[in-house]
Amino acid sequence: MAAPVVLGIESSCDETDAGLVRDGRLLGHAIASSMDEHARYGGVVPEIASRAHLHALRPVVRRALDEAGLSLADVDAVAVTTGPGLSGALQVGLAGAKSIAYALGVPLYGVHHLAGHVAADTLEHGPLPDPCMVLIVSGGHTSLLLVRDLARDRIVHLGDTLDDAAGECFDKVARVFGLPYPGGPAIDRTARDGDPRAVAFPRPLPGSYDFSFSGLKTAAARWAEGYAGRELPVADGAASLQEAVADVLTRKAVAACREHGVGTLVVVGGVAANSRVRALAEERCRAAGIELRVPPLRLCTDNGAMIAAVGDLLVRAGADPAPLDVSVDPSAPLEYASLVPVTV
């Protein structure tokens, strides 16, 4: 018999995504973004995101199926993000996933959004080594994890965000610098023309695996304020900020690999698309004899393929599907890849 086809649905923030995976292979995926609708506000507006998901979910699923050359009847299981994320946005995706699973009579799996980012790498590079070190870097999360069997084992947190995450720092500082939203790509583009040594921005929490970028954000804002009435050297500021973030992320990740005797580092999440983070991670891993795995850019940001990838792992591991009263948990901690909160 052919391996089951898993449909994944992701709607935790401002992108509506669907993906189809069979036996670790991506068959098709589609994304609809509402980012342009949020840009004028300088950040994601939850009500706008939820409405955009309502309009986009059905067409996105259809486009993913068309790309895969499949029909809805070919789907054998449905996986959906149940947290963390925006409550209303998550509810839209879960309602759609429940409807599809119920109509087809197939199992439904609740998935932790961050586990999806981890699994995204398997679609490009195959199964994760056991163990591996995972650095998740996104707009709302920065975590350093020790991962064994993603579908079965508890995920060990070595370090997490204490305040602002790396992506959040980029977004907020970009606004101070007069750069457009989203700030991460804008900082990356602008930094190409700057000197990363121009500003001695701090490296937060050097003796810990936890992450804190609030102070770095404030330091960048204070630096910009010092140019009141004068032209701000934005390129130098962007390059120096990006260098500070990349330095902290990669230094801690490589140190954790050495301390725990792990030979593979996986860097995932939206900030994994940052050119300096990728380059410095490659440089430091090569020097330390550590294998570096980073998904392609299209799988770094939120996408339904990564949720389908987790669902595919859960199906193959024989995991129990979610109960009919599965709900969402907008602030769910990452403990296991499967996330099945229920209403009480």
Side-chain angles (χ1 to χ4, degrees):
M1 294 179 60
V5 173
V6 180
L7 167 66
I9 294 174
E10 154 63 24
S11 67
S12 64
C13 194
D14 61 340
E15 291 175 324
T16 315
D17 318 302
L20 294 138
V21 171
R22 173 195 281 147
D23 199 21
R25 186 170 65 91
L26 178 59
L27 305 178
H29 72 126
I31 296 176
S33 175
S34 59
M35 187 177 296
D36 290 346
E37 298 177 56
H38 304 286
R40 62 176 138 166
Y41 303 103
V44 177
V45 180
E47 293 81 0
I48 293 176
S50 298
R51 185 169 63 247
H53 289 309
L54 280 170
H55 291 301
L57 184 58
R58 185 174 177 179
V60 160
V61 171
R62 173 49 54 195
R63 279 169 32 217
L65 288 166
D66 288 346
E67 182 178 296
L70 300 172
S71 70
L72 200 56
D74 295 314
V75 172
D76 300 296
V78 179
V80 60
T81 302
T82 47
L86 303 175
S87 179
L90 290 167
Q91 292 284 5
V92 173
L94 178 59
K98 281 184 175 181
S99 299
I100 294 171
Y102 180 80
L104 296 177
V106 300
L108 174 71
Y109 294 86
V111 169
H112 197 289
H113 173 81
L114 297 182
H117 278 301
V118 179
D121 184 72
T122 67
L123 299 175
E124 181 71 14
H125 300 119
L128 294 170
D130 179 2
C132 63
M133 194 66 64
V134 177
L135 176 65
I136 299 180
V137 204
S138 67
H141 304 275
T142 308
S143 295
L144 191 56
L145 312 170
L146 185 61
V147 176
R148 303 198 74 92
D149 187 324
L150 185 62
R152 294 182 174 91
D153 295 336
R154 189 185 188 95
I155 295 165
V156 178
H157 289 245
L158 302 179
D160 288 292
T161 305
L162 299 181
D163 41 55
D164 287 2
E168 186 179 4
C169 176
F170 280 150
D171 283 341
K172 291 179 177 178
V173 174
R175 193 167 188 174
V176 172
F177 286 0
L179 298 174
Y181 177 83
I187 290 285
D188 200 353
R189 289 192 301 270
T190 307
R192 295 169 190 165
D193 298 320
D195 179 1
R197 298 175 297 278
V199 188
F201 285 134
R203 271 50 170 175
L205 299 180
S208 167
Y209 287 141
D210 285 324
F211 300 93
S212 169
F213 292 104
S214 178
L216 179 58
K217 171 198 68 180
T218 301
R222 295 291 174 268
W223 172 78
E225 288 172 1
Y227 283 84
R230 297 180 292 156
E231 182 178 357
L232 181 69
V234 177
D236 284 347
S240 298
L241 176 76
Q242 180 173 263
E243 187 68 20
V245 171
D247 182 25
V248 169
L249 293 174
T250 57
R251 188 179 300 276
K252 293 189 179 193
V254 170
C257 287
R258 284 173 167 159
E259 180 179 339
H260 292 270
V262 176
T264 301
L265 172 64
V266 183
V267 183
V268 296
V271 181
N274 178 272
S275 62
R276 184 54 182 157
V277 170
R278 296 169 81 97
L280 193 53
E282 183 176 344
E283 175 187 324
R284 286 180 166 166
C285 283
R286 186 187 307 113
I290 296 168
E291 179 191 7
L292 175 67
R293 292 175 38 156
V294 186
L297 296 183
R298 64 192 175 94
L299 294 177
C300 284
T301 54
D302 295 351
N303 60 86
M306 70 186 197
I307 303 304
V310 178
D312 176 62
L313 291 173
L314 293 172
V315 169
R316 288 191 279 153
D320 292 333
L324 292 177
D325 58 349
V326 62
S327 184
V328 301
D329 185 348
S331 57
L334 176 59
E335 297 179 333
Y336 292 92
S338 177
L339 178 63
V340 287
V342 294
T343 55
V344 293

